Amino acid sequence: MPDASNITAPTRFIETKLEKYAYRRFGRGASLPLLCLQHFTGTLDNWDPAVADPLAQGREVILFESAGLGRSTGEVPDGVPAMAAHALAFMDALGLTLVDLLGYSLGGMVAQQIALDRPSVVRKMLLVGTAPEGGEDIMHMEKPELKKISDDPNLPGLQRLVKLFFTSSESSQAAGQAFVARLAERKQDREPISGPSVAKAQITAFRAWERVNGERFGKLRNIAQPCLVVNGVFDSMIPVRNSYMLTEHLPRAMLLVYPDAGHGSLFQFHDSFVKEAVLFLDSTTI
Amino acid sequence: MPDASNITAPTRFIETKLEKYAYRRFGRGASLPLLCLQHFTGTLDNWDPAVADPLAQGREVILFESAGLGRSTGEVPDGVPAMAAHALAFMDALGLTLVDLLGYSLGGMVAQQIALDRPSVVRKMLLVGTAPEGGEDIMHMEKPELKKISDDPNLPGLQRLVKLFFTSSESSQAAGQAFVARLAERKQDREPISGPSVAKAQITAFRAWERVNGERFGKLRNIAQPCLVVNGVFDSMIPVRNSYMLTEHLPRAMLLVYPDAGHGSLFQFHDSFVKEAVLFLDSTTI
């Protein structure tokens, strides 16, 4: 499998009833395909090979570029339900009738929405650094601690990720530098970087997701799939209490919280995360 | 290893500078010995073979009967520090200079105290269904939901555990029945069951542990050992928020929360718990 890596896997394109989407698929194995849904402003190039590649050793990993991101056509929706509709159109066009989902941050919200809108296509979900509808303090980039990082003109884009996704400790920052070095390993066939209009639409979606609609967390009762909820204990973008809320209200959610880690806990503890993800995906008892 | 099981391992006794303690040790392997510290009123016979036995396949498992319990001599202390002193006297007498600790419920409090009082003897800790000093709603057996179970004259002792340690769901209750059936597999060389005076002293210790002494959770900063904090999301004896507090204040704690599980999450999800414990104990990155 020379291309079973997000460093080398070619970007592919598929026409659907909604848009033409960019995507990558690589790896193989006996397990269900793992469809990966990306974070705020992230593209296919933001999937850490240290997470995606080992997961692709036991299953096909499919990275999805939603509408208006990278080389996918269309507009970035300003709400999670429309994002879920794009993911479902993509699945339909590829003929994917049952998958596991890895939803990271914004992608975790889209994953929950997919499970609500069409439960039959989802077997299990990994919900990482994310929040339930009606959650708290979700991606408030205007908070001083986040704004000073995202507005810093001296920080190149990847270095912003090191500050935003990792804690200020020496070990977490070192893990952050290793993470962005891995992201930079892909040299060709890269996606365009997201601009301000992407951020604006996705922030609007976060504000809508934060609102309590009806009984708070009531919809979570309808998600019957086993879920593994993962976060860093010091996530400044989507605080860990949102992961507590998910775990306390999803009927079948196991929670895993990493120490000295922020929003990018899965990248900081990639070896552990991959082992935990495989244990969870292969388990028949959880 | 015919005796590498808590069903068959003989109870041993050791004289120390404080008391004569009952204990069991079984299993072997390359890993450090795992010293197991028991819950409220529990004896050596309350360690589930489905947890203890597979752990004994990679390390020696040592079950400790603290003072005044089972056939150990002395009085049950009414404070956690004195319980830690008993465990340390036991370790000294056995010549154990470095161990991993599995502290369950009250045992998890004793484990924290040991790590504070003599950090050099502890490598890693599994802290299950427990709370930090200054935690909340710790073992209030007078709460109506607990009192109606512990006062029910029609519930034999082991059936009380099924109600107290497991949730009311069908699958959790079934896991509870399987748990008590496993506990009953040991037929000979059993420990005497704890009486009311044991419960009274340990409840006094819980009340003391609940008090905030100085900066709340400040002592946890001094526990440098990697910890795996584990709980059931619906623990009615020591609610899961105490595990959140531990995770948020211990410098190196990973948190694992099980769905549809109560105080006995490690027994309900014994296969997963053992795998997670081994991953954690063997890990060099967490």
Side-chain angles (χ1 to χ4, degrees):
Chain A
M1 292 181 283
D3 283 343
S5 166
N6 197 31
I7 300 173
T8 51
T11 307
R12 307 177 193 211
F13 300 90
I14 189 164
E15 287 280 0
T16 77
K17 63 178 182 180
L18 291 182
E19 300 291 346
K20 182 176 83 172
Y21 303 110
Y23 70 103
R24 296 181 194 144
R25 61 192 301 174
F26 49 93
R28 63 181 173 198
S31 301
L32 277 183
L34 181 67
L35 177 60
C36 301
L37 305 169
Q38 189 56 292
H39 65 77
F40 176 60
T41 71
T43 70
L44 301 178
D45 298 333
N46 288 88
W47 283 111
D48 186 350
V51 168
D53 299 3
L55 286 172
Q57 288 176 21
R59 74 215 79 246
E60 192 177 32
V61 167
I62 302 173
L63 311 180
F64 170 58
E65 195 86 294
S66 190
L69 287 144
R71 285 174 278 178
S72 291
T73 63
E75 298 292 317
V76 177
D78 61 3
V80 169
M83 296 176 188
H86 284 296
L88 285 167
F90 171 73
M91 287 182 66
D92 288 343
L94 277 188
L96 295 167
T97 54
L98 185 65
V99 298
D100 292 326
L101 291 177
L102 164 51
Y104 173 40
S105 190
L106 175 60
M109 302 169 201
V110 177
Q112 293 169 66
Q113 191 71 50
I114 292 171
L116 288 168
D117 291 349
R118 209 194 291 176
S120 66
V121 296
V122 183
R123 188 188 66 136
K124 294 187 178 188
M125 298 200 286
L126 298 152
L127 300 173
V128 185
T130 192
E133 191 179 351
E136 292 173 0
D137 192 11
I138 297 172
M139 298 294 288
H140 280 274
M141 300 304 293
E142 77 281 7
K143 286 193 295 190
E145 66 195 281
L146 299 179
K147 190 171 167 57
K148 78 175 177 204
I149 297 166
S150 44
D151 286 0
D152 187 341
N154 298 318
L155 275 181
L158 285 178
Q159 290 304 313
R160 277 183 207 166
L161 286 190
V162 176
K163 299 285 185 196
L164 288 170
F165 282 11
F166 297 81
T167 75
S168 59
S169 80
E170 195 175 332
S171 59
S172 189
Q173 284 294 300
Q177 294 299 345
F179 162 65
V180 297
R182 292 191 298 268
L183 291 188
E185 281 183 59
R186 185 179 178 98
K187 303 295 183 193
Q188 295 175 327
D189 183 30
R190 291 184 66 98
E191 293 290 280
I193 290 172
S194 299
S197 66
V198 172
K200 185 165 179 243
Q202 292 183 336
I203 290 282
T204 304
F206 290 129
R207 293 293 74 74
W209 191 253
E210 240 173 17
R211 280 199 290 276
V212 176
N213 289 314
E215 182 198 351
R216 196 179 187 201
F217 309 134
K219 288 180 187 169
L220 296 181
R221 273 200 303 274
N222 300 320
I223 298 181
Q225 284 85 354
C227 298
L228 179 65
V229 176
V230 179
N231 213 341
V233 69
F234 299 129
D235 186 338
S236 55
M237 306 183 88
I238 302 184
V240 68
R241 66 181 182 276
N242 290 285
S243 290
Y244 302 158
M245 295 167 194
L246 280 167
T247 308
E248 292 173 10
H249 295 276
L250 284 166
R252 295 180 69 186
M254 181 166 157
L255 173 65
L256 189 64
V257 177
Y258 283 105
D260 185 32
H263 199 55
S265 66
L266 75 172
F267 309 133
Q268 180 169 343
F269 290 99
H270 51 85
D271 281 342
S272 170
F273 174 76
V274 168
K275 282 178 189 158
E276 294 286 349
V278 170
L279 265 186
F280 166 74
L281 293 173
D282 289 349
S283 172
T284 55
T285 59
I286 199 97
Chain B
M1 291 180 285
D3 283 343
S5 166
N6 196 32
I7 300 173
T8 51
T11 306
R12 308 177 193 212
F13 300 89
I14 190 163
E15 286 281 0
T16 78
K17 64 177 181 182
L18 293 183
E19 299 292 345
K20 182 176 82 170
Y21 302 110
Y23 70 104
R24 296 182 194 143
R25 60 191 303 173
F26 49 92
R28 62 182 175 199
S31 301
L32 277 182
L34 182 67
L35 177 60
C36 300
L37 305 169
Q38 189 56 291
H39 65 76
F40 175 61
T41 71
T43 70
L44 301 178
D45 297 333
N46 288 88
W47 284 111
D48 186 351
V51 168
D53 298 3
L55 287 171
Q57 288 176 21
R59 74 215 78 246
E60 193 176 31
V61 167
I62 302 174
L63 311 181
F64 170 58
E65 194 87 293
S66 191
L69 286 145
R71 285 175 278 177
S72 291
T73 63
E75 298 292 316
V76 178
D78 61 2
V80 170
M83 295 175 189
H86 283 295
L88 285 166
F90 171 73
M91 287 183 66
D92 289 343
L94 278 187
L96 295 167
T97 54
L98 185 65
V99 297
D100 293 326
L101 292 177
L102 165 50
Y104 172 40
S105 189
L106 175 59
M109 303 169 201
V110 177
Q112 294 170 64
Q113 191 70 50
I114 292 170
L116 288 167
D117 290 349
R118 210 193 292 174
S120 66
V121 297
V122 183
R123 189 188 66 136
K124 295 187 177 187
M125 297 200 287
L126 298 152
L127 301 173
V128 184
T130 191
E133 191 179 350
E136 292 172 1
D137 191 12
I138 297 173
M139 299 294 288
H140 281 274
M141 300 304 293
E142 77 282 6
K143 286 193 293 190
E145 66 197 280
L146 299 180
K147 190 171 168 57
K148 78 173 177 206
I149 297 167
S150 44
D151 286 359
D152 187 341
N154 299 317
L155 275 181
L158 285 177
Q159 290 304 314
R160 277 184 205 164
L161 286 189
V162 176
K163 300 285 185 196
L164 288 170
F165 283 11
F166 296 81
T167 75
S168 59
S169 79
E170 196 175 331
S171 59
S172 189
Q173 284 294 301
Q177 294 299 345
F179 162 65
V180 297
R182 291 191 298 269
L183 291 189
E185 282 185 58
R186 185 180 180 98
K187 303 294 183 193
Q188 297 176 325
D189 184 31
R190 292 183 65 99
E191 294 289 279
I193 290 171
S194 300
S197 65
V198 172
K200 184 164 181 246
Q202 292 182 339
I203 290 283
T204 304
F206 289 130
R207 293 292 74 75
W209 191 253
E210 239 174 18
R211 281 198 289 274
V212 176
N213 290 314
E215 181 198 353
R216 195 179 187 201
F217 310 132
K219 288 180 187 168
L220 296 181
R221 273 201 303 275
N222 299 322
I223 297 181
Q225 284 85 354
C227 298
L228 180 63
V229 176
V230 179
N231 214 340
V233 70
F234 298 130
D235 186 340
S236 56
M237 306 184 88
I238 303 184
V240 67
R241 66 181 182 277
N242 289 287
S243 289
Y244 302 159
M245 295 167 193
L246 281 168
T247 308
E248 292 173 9
H249 295 276
L250 284 165
R252 296 180 68 187
M254 182 165 156
L255 173 65
L256 190 63
V257 177
Y258 284 104
D260 184 32
H263 199 53
S265 66
L266 75 171
F267 309 132
Q268 181 168 345
F269 290 100
H270 51 86
D271 282 341
S272 170
F273 175 76
V274 168
K275 281 179 190 159
E276 294 287 347
V278 169
L279 264 186
F280 166 74
L281 292 173
D282 290 349
S283 172
T284 55
T285 59
I286 198 98

